[in-house]
Amino acid sequence: MKPIHDRQSPTAEHISRRIGERAGNLFRTRQLWCSGAVLVVTNRVFGGDLTQDQAIRLAAGLGDGMGGTGCICGGLNGGALALGLFLGNGRLSPGGDRAVLKATRWLHDQFKTDLGSACCRILLKKDADETKSRLDACGRRTAKAAELCAAKILQHRPELIARVDWDYLNQHDGRFEARLNIIADQLKR
């Protein structure tokens, strides 16, 4: 993963891929769960209105197939939150925000097409033998959900390319740095 230092003309595709890589890294290093990784990275990279703590708390119950039920993949759940954050109109209405509903449906369908299912339980059956392979596989799924989500956001809001937080996006934590980050976070509380 080569960092971008020359910020001239980054493409939406490149940014989306990097967002996926960053979210997958945060999951694989056990700093964030799948749902939180997608929401936190997307929010931070595009300058969303949530603090990191708010994003983590919002996504907290959505991992492991929505609260451990094995239903919708946590990465998809985090992606749906991020789509609402960046594409939502902020108005209450009984029918919901049609643009967000349409984007979320696309995210679900594309994820399912690319990975064979949107159901955490079904996806996890493929990884039942090994914890490490499950961690890696879920990291790839988290990355895919974040990448697809970012692509859809940038399709609707290309002006966000100018707001990308490149310093954050270019971070890649190894296990040692991740452990230090986790310890530092625990000490703050």
Side-chain angles (χ1 to χ4, degrees):
M1 178 168 37
K2 183 180 173 200
I4 289 186
H5 297 291
D6 176 12
R7 297 180 181 146
Q8 298 173 2
S9 304
T11 65
E13 181 181 337
H14 180 79
I15 293 166
S16 299
R17 188 175 59 253
R18 292 304 303 268
I19 286 172
E21 290 167 356
R22 182 76 172 114
N25 175 249
L26 288 172
F27 178 85
R28 279 188 211 90
T29 57
R30 299 174 189 233
Q31 294 178 75
L32 291 171
W33 214 356
C34 47
S35 54
V38 175
L39 182 59
V40 165
V41 171
T42 307
N43 176 64
R44 175 89 181 259
V45 169
F46 292 142
D49 296 335
L50 302 173
T51 66
Q52 181 164 310
D53 185 59
Q54 289 170 328
I56 290 169
R57 288 184 304 160
L58 279 170
L62 301 175
D64 204 16
M66 191 175 268
T69 64
C71 290
I72 297 295
C73 168
L76 280 176
N77 285 318
L81 290 174
L83 289 171
L85 180 64
F86 287 98
L87 302 182
N89 63 21
R91 291 184 217 113
L92 296 175
S93 64
D97 185 327
R98 294 288 177 208
V100 175
L101 290 173
K102 187 175 178 182
T104 303
R105 176 62 163 254
W106 176 88
L107 174 65
H108 171 275
D109 293 349
Q110 192 62 51
F111 184 91
K112 186 176 178 179
T113 296
D114 291 353
L115 299 176
S117 181
C119 178
C120 182
R121 189 178 312 117
I122 291 170
L123 293 167
L124 289 177
K125 282 183 182 179
K126 298 176 185 179
D127 317 317
D129 298 336
E130 242 181 271
T131 303
K132 182 168 175 39
S133 70
R134 178 180 173 181
L135 183 68
D136 289 340
C138 285
R140 286 190 303 276
R141 293 177 193 124
T142 298
K144 176 55 88 173
E147 180 179 345
L148 291 170
C149 174
K152 184 52 76 173
I153 290 168
L154 289 174
Q155 178 185 5
H156 288 270
R157 304 233 2 239
E159 74 276 7
L160 292 176
I161 290 174
R163 292 174 44 182
V164 169
D165 181 343
W166 288 104
D167 293 332
Y168 179 76
L169 192 55
N170 284 328
Q171 291 177 17
H172 182 83
D173 301 331
R175 291 191 189 269
F176 180 72
E177 294 98 343
R179 289 288 153 225
L180 289 177
N181 289 340
I182 291 167
I183 291 168
D185 184 59
Q186 290 172 344
L187 290 174
K188 285 185 218 174
R189 298 181 193 274

